Amino acid sequence: MKKLLTIKPNTSLKNKTGSWRTHRPITNQEKCIGCSLCAKLCPEGCIEMININNKLKPQTDYDYCKGCGLCAHECPVKVIDMKEDY
Amino acid sequence: MKKLLTIKPNTSLKNKTGSWRTHRPITNQEKCIGCSLCAKLCPEGCIEMININNKLKPQTDYDYCKGCGLCAHECPVKVIDMKEDY
Amino acid sequence: MKNTINKFLSPGHNACSGCGQLSAVQAVMRGLTSDTIIANATGCLEVTTTAYPQSSWGLPWIHSLFENASSVASGIKAALDKKGNKTTKVLVQAGDGGTYDIGLGLISGMWERGENILYICYDTESYSNTGIQASGSTPYGAATTTTPNGEKSIGSNQVKKDMLAIALAHGLKYVAQTAAGFPDDITNKVKKALTVSGPAYIQILSPCIPGWKINYNEAVMMGKLAVKTGLYPILEYINGSLISSSINNNFKPEPVSTYLKGQGRFKHLKDEEIKYIQNLANENIKKYSKV
Amino acid sequence: MKNTINKFLSPGHNACSGCGQLSAVQAVMRGLTSDTIIANATGCLEVTTTAYPQSSWGLPWIHSLFENASSVASGIKAALDKKGNKTTKVLVQAGDGGTYDIGLGLISGMWERGENILYICYDTESYSNTGIQASGSTPYGAATTTTPNGEKSIGSNQVKKDMLAIALAHGLKYVAQTAAGFPDDITNKVKKALTVSGPAYIQILSPCIPGWKINYNEAVMMGKLAVKTGLYPILEYINGSLISSSINNNFKPEPVSTYLKGQGRFKHLKDEEIKYIQNLANENIKKYSKV
Amino acid sequence: MEKMKIKKTKGEHILEGSRAIALTINNIDPDVISAYPITPQTHIVEDLAKFKAEGMVNYEYVRAESEFAAASIILGACATGARVYSATSSQGLLLMVEVLYNISGMRLPIVMTCANRSVSAPINIWNDHSDAMAVRDSGWLQFFAENHQEAIYQHLLAYKIAEKMDLPALVNVDGFILTHSYEPVSIPSKTNIKKYLPAYTPTPGTYLDPKNPVTMGGFSSSAEYFETRENILQDFNLSLEEIKKEYRNLKKVFNFKDNSNGLVEYSGAKKPKTILITMGSLAGTIKETMKEYKDVGLLKITTFRPFPAEEINKAIKNCSNIAVIEKAISPGSGGPLYNEVKAAIFQTGKINIKNYIVGLGGKDISQKNIQKIIKDSCNKGKQTTFI
Amino acid sequence: MEKMKIKKTKGEHILEGSRAIALTINNIDPDVISAYPITPQTHIVEDLAKFKAEGMVNYEYVRAESEFAAASIILGACATGARVYSATSSQGLLLMVEVLYNISGMRLPIVMTCANRSVSAPINIWNDHSDAMAVRDSGWLQFFAENHQEAIYQHLLAYKIAEKMDLPALVNVDGFILTHSYEPVSIPSKTNIKKYLPAYTPTPGTYLDPKNPVTMGGFSSSAEYFETRENILQDFNLSLEEIKKEYRNLKKVFNFKDNSNGLVEYSGAKKPKTILITMGSLAGTIKETMKEYKDVGLLKITTFRPFPAEEINKAIKNCSNIAVIEKAISPGSGGPLYNEVKAAIFQTGKINIKNYIVGLGGKDISQKNIQKIIKDSCNKGKQTTFI
Amino acid sequence: MEQIRIHGRGGQGVVTAAELIAIAAFNEGKYAQAFPNFGVERTGAPIQSYARISNEPIITREQIYHPTVLIIQDATLLETTEIIKGTDKNTIFIINAPENYKLRIKLPSKKVFFCAATEIALEIFGKNIVNTIILGAFAKHSGLVNLEALKTAIKEKFQDKGAIIIEKNIIAIEKAYND
Amino acid sequence: MEQIRIHGRGGQGVVTAAELIAIAAFNEGKYAQAFPNFGVERTGAPIQSYARISNEPIITREQIYHPTVLIIQDATLLETTEIIKGTDKNTIFIINAPENYKLRIKLPSKKVFFCAATEIALEIFGKNIVNTIILGAFAKHSGLVNLEALKTAIKEKFQDKGAIIIEKNIIAIEKAYND
Ligand SMILES: Cc1ncc(C[n+]2csc(CCOP(=O)(O)OP(=O)(O)O)c2C)c(N)n1
Ligand SMILES: Cc1ncc(C[n+]2csc(CCOP(=O)(O)OP(=O)(O)O)c2C)c(N)n1
Ligand code: SF4
Ligand code: SF4
Ligand code: SF4
Ligand code: SF4
Ligand code: SF4
Ligand code: SF4
Ligand SMILES: [Mg+2]
Ligand SMILES: [Mg+2]
């Protein structure tokens, strides 16, 4: 009988693309103004804005972050640093 | 070896579509003003304007004329008559 | 004019008696020279003119499929280019089905390549060859075999696709619309289009006897009426600008009802729909007036 | 905003690090509700998000072929209609190749049917998935693997096809253009398009790392620059009228050279060609200024 | 009374084949229909459009701008859990090819009618089996009908097997010969059809549904692909038994009898010296011709995919000559049916088996032609003959 | 010196397969090239575009917006008397199907490369022969190459036979395995190719030419159509001899030797107990594996269309087991090559012939797999095995 | 088995005529079959159609090579012997032509019946649509279907065309039958 | 026959590395073969490629299951044993990592060579492009191709990329070879 051909939703979460990374974005939470831009632009969708002390701050999920540096490049206040990571 | 698949030009002249006709256009050459419209419109392209006494007059090739009556309908001076013909 | 019997399209073809399309083709042929190659899509024109082993054509002519005449023409053009042949013209002929619908993607590709090819669409407003099914060109309200009128149907409920606008969107240098019944206009437009360098498009309304449910002698009359009502104005665009239009100073529109009531395909229409169609004509008149 | 990690498109996909297309897709997803079905064409997006048995999608999602996503969407819509389902939205996602080229005929058919389907084209300006060959969207002068620069070639010698004009020629009620790097604009346009009844089209410039030969962190910058030079203005048409444009009162164009010189695909261009491209931008600025 | 009795046995209506099919499709109650016109399929889809215009039916009828679109539309609808239908022919089928392979690979139970016609070039609109043969490797079940009544039952069977096995099915009816002819026929009622073929209810999680958001058509690795293909081949093999079973069931529900088991139908001599093998409407002409022969039998292949190898082996066991009469060729290989039959009965060893290519492009096949074939089939000599 | 000698025998360059093909195509001097990109054909057409961009070649390179268009473009160009070329794969080949049938029916001598790949669904980009098999009835000659060098020679042969017989030809090269691999190869020079394959000069009156205005692709009656099809089948049969002849000729002109006669190539045991039959690059892996076996032979089918039935019969005459190892299936029928071989050797009668389906969707075929097949092929039992 | 072959021109309802015969015969309780032989020609070009009537199921599909009845809807077609191929001394000929029509070719049988269908058609429909009319003559001279069955067939077949058309056709067919 | 398997990530030139080995070997008069094992993954995802070198014609096409040499372009890949499948005590390992790199898995052979290719790459190219560099180490430790042949191969293969790129690569490869 037919092999199941459909794929369950969101199963790519198993694919930890963090291993692709050669550089790691490090966010200076202090200086971050919480604009969310990094979170909105990240191609991986792996930055979540979370509430820290009543302020929205980005939290990067390194399991998936490929280290492209887009967030760092676009951060309006340049508070994300790309560090070598391999 | 390959059978010839191309067709020689203008060979449909063998197909005498005049036999399809149930009505025959009869042109009153006298009253015709030689405007050529009938010749230009005929879907068969079977009306030729020929020189009769230095005037252009339509000549219908009944070998092909299907008797549609378009020429008669469009003649600006209504000098083509459709006669029963079968 | 001695050459009304056109050696580029001989009599003896099998089109319906009184066919508007064939009437238009005759006029197109008068605009060509013998240094022309034609690629023709499947459809009435192809089927009725090439019953093996007889052909009505006096020009080099090829039919491949329903949808690919434009690409075939591109290939012809490339072969001519390779030979260094700069004179031979390449012409595509297709029906509205081959143009608006199944062939559109390939036409867009051809236009994109910018090749010097003249495309002529004989617009019978349906798939005439296969028995009058609706095409993208079928006007609102027309009954066809796939959009029959009935309890729950007024005929086609889609409006006619705007092929001219699509052609213009492709940046074509020459785009024109005309109708069977205007033989000299057709011939002249063909001649003019052939002088343009780059792709050109001419669309010719071609009344179809069984398709429109009209009498054998009415194709030309209907072509003219379509123009006179404003439903199918004669138009000519050069480099994207409308340079001539039948909707000009002297234009006095006939009501669309004259046109609709003369055709079997529209005879089921009620006043409401006729009004809607009159509106379409009115919009055309606004849009295409060239005063 | 808690929901930046979007459950409609999970991480773990295989797109290039820094992919502009995927950045844009994230913004699109934020414009949707869970009551949406997606038909996706073959291309980078499909290939990188659905490596069996893993999928990044959290919405019902189907891929059939490269060219037919629009028709598949029509089928989905028809099935929903039959069920009396009036809420579920249908979305098509395709690349520029699937849109401008191989899929165009089927898109036209979908638009003609007037179905309530939102079509989103992620415009990478080439066939990214197969290794950066030229598409109908590839801009003049861009080097691709099928339009390489060389002794006898400046890269692509065709200008970009005007898909927006083609969409407008089909009478679409909502037509818009935007770019990766404008996430809120993308999200808002998607939301707006979904309120329109009838077909809608949004085209999003999606800088591609290997395609444009840019650094991993430059996709968004390039998207913004494309807008700032006027080469790719942000545009929005409702019922055929341009209702908003990035070329507005405050628009101060950057020279195209800034944009071109930052990309490997343009780096061979000489002043003459850059001038020509500057001209294209200038024409856009004229055409799309909304003051 | 007498009159009514006769009518009963020979069908309740006299209809054009296309109309008979259209009425049956309507009674099968599909959700979505999409098609593109092509001779000789046109009458079927025109009828379906007409029923719709008259407001007496429930299906959505989607106008397509090409066969490629039509096939894709029903693909999308079926993937959304709908029962769907389309019909095509010849060039239309060829244009659909990429979608057809896709549909079978996606295991969508789509049913389509093919009004069989030759394929271009040269262009020709009449009947042969070139179109169906062109998609013999596409992963669609294929049935061939001899007459209107069989065509109707095959459509029911096609839906039944398709939905049971998650495989698409093509019902082949000879263009013009069946689609444009009038003959007596019974149209199964909606109520009876419901008994045989209940509403289509795909398993949740196998179709597009916002409440159960799965991914369909994902990218597959080598290992996955390999498995998927093995799986489809297996399911085709399993469907052989299913077809027989469901054909028996069909006979029960619709209360009819014939010699067919759904896969093949044998008629003629009990101990035939020669067996003719063919598909489709030609079987009728052959049966008429055979009436004059004592030692000739006809094996009509009604299911071409899956290919009923075992049934063929059984049927030909004791005969000395086989004549495969078919309406298609594979240039550079010969008659496709001929080769498939030979492959199927390979283990039988030496038997005199010959191939007759007939009716290409609609060339009429007369009873005289059949007589000639019967006569020739006993001779050795040329393997393939065009008649 | 020593070094140069080795190089000579093993080819003058080490190249990617795609590059080798592209260089050869350029030397064949086509007039018009049109193609649409698809993995794994891309490198071939990218190379051809690159040569063009560098201004060192004479052909017109026409960018197409789909494979349907690409095939139609070369159709139009060929009908205008041009020598043409295209390349495609998988979905691209399927999308072209309607045009492919049209081209062969029009008897246009078009040559195309197919970088063989699986077909969707599910989508998968790697090698198998599903695409080529999908067009086995389309009226195209089909060659299958084992390695770069053979691919190159087959392209020359393909043009030669195509132009001689007015038939189109598909040269199959395994995607990735050949198209993306590097190995030593000799590229025939333009001058040498001219000797073997002079400029293409179709007969006046058979192509589009304003000086000789013929009609091509006209509508055909049943009788005409029938004749045309018979004619094409005959010409395919005739091309069997032509291929052998022109392959001999090819060896002469390009001064090489191999075991192939253009149709098939036998290698291995003189008196084999078991013969393996396969097509394409897999032959290499089999040959390597076979080195350890004394009683096994390999029959490599290099020409699949026309199908070399006679050659196969000759080759298998005295063996007891045959294993057909192939990279495609026809759902509901089995391995297409398997069935065609069985049909071809039907008269041989009982022989143990088994079918091994391998490598679908690019699944690697290891020498271990081949050993397993060799071992299994002597056993009775399951006819078809997926490995 | 009775075999009827009809010759006429595209647009004259040649195919419909065969279908009407089959429907009528079926309505009388017989087995029947009708099928066309289309060309690609349009309105006006010669075409033919076939009908069979039998008390046994009809299974053959071959074209009709030896017609019991040959119907000629358009006498201008009777110019070559091609058209009467397969006829013999028993064949019934029904020809649309006035009684005094001069045949240009020799027919093999004596059973030749003329019906001035065009005249009737022009009178009743104002158009040269002769297919139903000539069936009146067919019913009368062949006896293969009766007039009532034909009329029912017309009602069935022309249902969509409306009452007026049906009525006119019935008047016409009766006229031909009673002529 | 020598069999080389290369592991790395998309964008690191894994395929090119195998090709360069084959070209170099060929230029030394040997038979050679190279081929990729692509996935659909993009830049960054793990991929592998293969090369074979022999004095006899190479006809097999199977993937490399038992490599003579295993090249690891990215040490982060050395996390699972999947990657060292088929290696044994004779396998030569060439790993891009600094000399003092701590392996997380056990290798079956003693012939393990490290090459700080990333360091060299960042120094010379300013980017982490290690494929050519690590070939220097490959040439040195395996002895399967000589340095000159590799350099010629780079010149051939990178012809289109211009003199500067070629030069940098040659400098880099020499550095790795002489390290
Ligand atoms: C792929 C394909 N689909 C369908 C057909 C059937 N077909 C042939 S011509 C035609 C319609 C032609 O319509 P149009 O292009 O408007 O030309 P017309 O006959 O009206 O002049 C159709 C549907 C075909 N030949 N090929
Ligand atoms: C019929 C067919 N032809 C070619 C291909 C190969 N192919 C797959 S995706 C693609 C290009 C996709 O380009 P685009 O639509 O721009 O999407 P992108 O990958 O750039 O996002 C191509 C050529 C295919 N899958 N099917
Ligand atoms: S580096 Fe790239 S992937 Fe990582 S969080 Fe930033 S944008 Fe996302
Ligand atoms: S873009 Fe910069 S400022 Fe904005 S949220 Fe991210 S880190 Fe903070
Ligand atoms: S009646 Fe028709 S066919 Fe005859 S000449 Fe007049 S227009 Fe032409
Ligand atoms: S249209 Fe009338 S007036 Fe004009 S040429 Fe013809 S017959 Fe004479
Ligand atoms: S059907 Fe219409 S278009 Fe076709 S030949 Fe007849 S009148 Fe002309
Ligand atoms: S190739 Fe381009 S579009 Fe595709 S995943 Fe990479 S960056 Fe994105
Ligand atoms: Mg039309
Ligand atoms: Mg793209």
Side-chain angles (χ1 to χ4, degrees), chain E residues 112-270:
Chain E
M112 192 160 69
T113 308
C114 181
N116 301 112
R117 160 183 154 183
S118 71
V119 302
S120 171
I123 184 170
N124 166 292
I125 57 171
W126 295 286
N127 168 250
D128 69 29
H129 292 166
S130 308
D131 51 6
M133 289 302 116
V135 298
R136 63 176 162 141
D137 300 336
S138 66
W140 283 58
L141 302 161
Q142 282 203 39
F143 304 99
F144 279 82
E146 179 188 335
N147 52 42
H148 297 191
Q149 196 64 57
E150 191 173 38
I152 283 165
Y153 289 138
Q154 284 185 355
H155 279 89
L156 302 182
L157 182 65
Y159 274 100
K160 185 79 197 181
I161 302 298
E163 293 174 5
K164 207 163 176 180
M165 304 299 296
D166 296 302
L167 291 170
L170 194 66
V171 181
N172 290 288
V173 295
D174 283 318
F176 288 111
I177 299 175
L178 295 185
T179 58
H180 285 57
S181 62
Y182 269 66
E183 65 184 34
V185 70
S186 294
I187 307 294
S189 69
K190 260 196 172 137
T191 333
N192 274 342
I193 290 179
K194 271 261 150 23
K195 283 182 217 155
Y196 181 70
L197 186 71
Y200 174 54
T201 49
T203 321
T206 66
Y207 61 96
L208 298 170
D209 179 7
K211 297 199 187 74
N212 196 344
V214 294
T215 294
M216 298 181 75
F219 191 96
S220 151
S221 69
S222 295
E224 279 300 336
Y225 186 87
F226 194 88
E227 242 186 72
T228 312
R229 302 305 286 167
E230 183 169 8
N231 181 245
I232 203 173
L233 196 76
Q234 280 164 352
D235 282 359
F236 260 91
N237 291 343
L238 292 176
S239 63
L240 283 163
E241 275 312 308
E242 289 298 330
I243 291 168
K244 287 201 280 185
K245 189 173 130 201
E246 290 301 343
Y247 197 71
R248 280 195 300 273
N249 197 2
L250 190 77
K251 288 186 189 177
K252 225 178 283 160
V253 176
F254 297 98
N255 193 20
F256 70 95
K257 285 208 173 84
D258 63 18
N259 294 331
S260 169
N261 66 357
L263 299 172
V264 300
E265 178 205 275
Y266 180 79
S267 54
K270 283 254 163 64

Side-chain angles (χ1 to χ4, degrees), chain F residues 136-331:
Chain F
R136 63 177 162 141
D137 300 336
S138 66
W140 283 59
L141 301 161
Q142 283 203 39
F143 304 99
F144 280 83
E146 178 189 334
N147 52 41
H148 297 191
Q149 197 63 58
E150 192 173 39
I152 283 165
Y153 288 137
Q154 284 185 356
H155 280 88
L156 301 182
L157 182 65
Y159 274 100
K160 185 78 196 181
I161 302 298
E163 292 174 5
K164 206 162 177 181
M165 303 301 295
D166 296 301
L167 291 170
L170 195 66
V171 181
N172 290 288
V173 294
D174 283 317
F176 288 111
I177 300 174
L178 295 185
T179 56
H180 285 55
S181 62
Y182 268 65
E183 66 183 33
V185 70
S186 294
I187 307 293
S189 69
K190 259 196 175 143
T191 333
N192 274 343
I193 290 179
K194 271 261 148 26
K195 282 182 216 156
Y196 181 70
L197 185 72
Y200 174 52
T201 50
T203 321
T206 65
Y207 62 95
L208 299 169
D209 178 8
K211 297 199 189 75
N212 196 344
V214 295
T215 293
M216 298 181 75
F219 191 95
S220 152
S221 69
S222 296
E224 279 299 337
Y225 186 86
F226 194 88
E227 244 186 70
T228 311
R229 301 306 287 167
E230 183 170 7
N231 181 244
I232 203 173
L233 196 76
Q234 280 165 352
D235 282 357
F236 260 92
N237 291 343
L238 292 176
S239 62
L240 283 164
E241 276 312 308
E242 289 297 331
I243 290 169
K244 286 203 278 185
K245 191 174 126 199
E246 290 302 343
Y247 196 71
R248 279 195 302 272
N249 198 2
L250 189 76
K251 288 187 189 178
K252 224 179 284 161
V253 176
F254 297 97
N255 192 21
F256 70 94
K257 287 208 172 82
D258 65 17
N259 294 332
S260 167
N261 66 358
L263 299 173
V264 300
E265 179 205 273
Y266 180 79
S267 55
K270 284 253 161 68
K271 292 188 174 172
K273 227 181 76 192
T274 297
I275 289 184
L276 312 180
I277 297 184
T278 200
M279 303 198 290
S281 68
L282 178 57
T285 308
I286 294 178
K287 285 178 192 169
E288 182 68 32
T289 314
M290 269 187 355
K291 288 179 180 167
E292 293 160 32
Y293 294 81
K294 289 255 158 63
D295 54 357
V296 176
L298 168 70
L299 186 69
K300 182 178 85 179
I301 312 279
T302 57
T303 300
F304 175 68
R305 284 285 181 274
F307 196 71
E310 204 184 309
E311 313 291 323
I312 297 174
N313 273 298
K314 267 190 225 154
I316 57 103
K317 214 180 245 158
N318 298 311
C319 78
S320 346
N321 308 301
I322 298 176
V324 178
I325 313 177
E326 64 181 312
K327 296 182 177 177
I329 57 163
S330 177

Side-chain angles (χ1 to χ4, degrees), chain C residues 34-37 46-47 50-53 55 57-68 71-72 74-76 78-83 88 105-107 109-110 112-113 115, chain F residues 29-32 58-60 62-66 68-69 72-77 79-82 98-99 102 106 207-210 212-221 224:
Chain C
S34 62
D35 197 10
T36 306
I37 299 177
E46 161 261 335
V47 167
T50 66
Y52 196 95
S55 168
W57 299 98
L59 291 170
W61 184 100
I62 186 171
H63 160 256
S64 162
L65 299 169
F66 185 19
E67 58 275 44
N68 70 352
S71 319
V72 170
S74 288
I76 294 169
L80 293 172
D81 286 351
K82 173 66 208 295
K83 289 181 187 161
T88 304
L106 289 95
I107 294 171
M110 174 184 71
E112 187 191 334
R113 285 186 292 271
E115 294 142 343
Chain F
D29 202 13
D31 298 306
V32 175
N58 296 319
Y59 47 77
E60 297 289 320
V62 186
R63 231 160 97 184
E65 77 287 359
S66 73
F68 201 97
S72 304
I73 288 167
I74 55 171
L75 183 159
T80 314
E98 196 193 0
V99 192
N102 197 246
M106 293 186 90
Y207 62 95
L208 299 169
D209 178 8
N212 196 344
V214 295
T215 293
M216 298 181 75
F219 191 95
S220 152
S221 69
E224 279 299 337

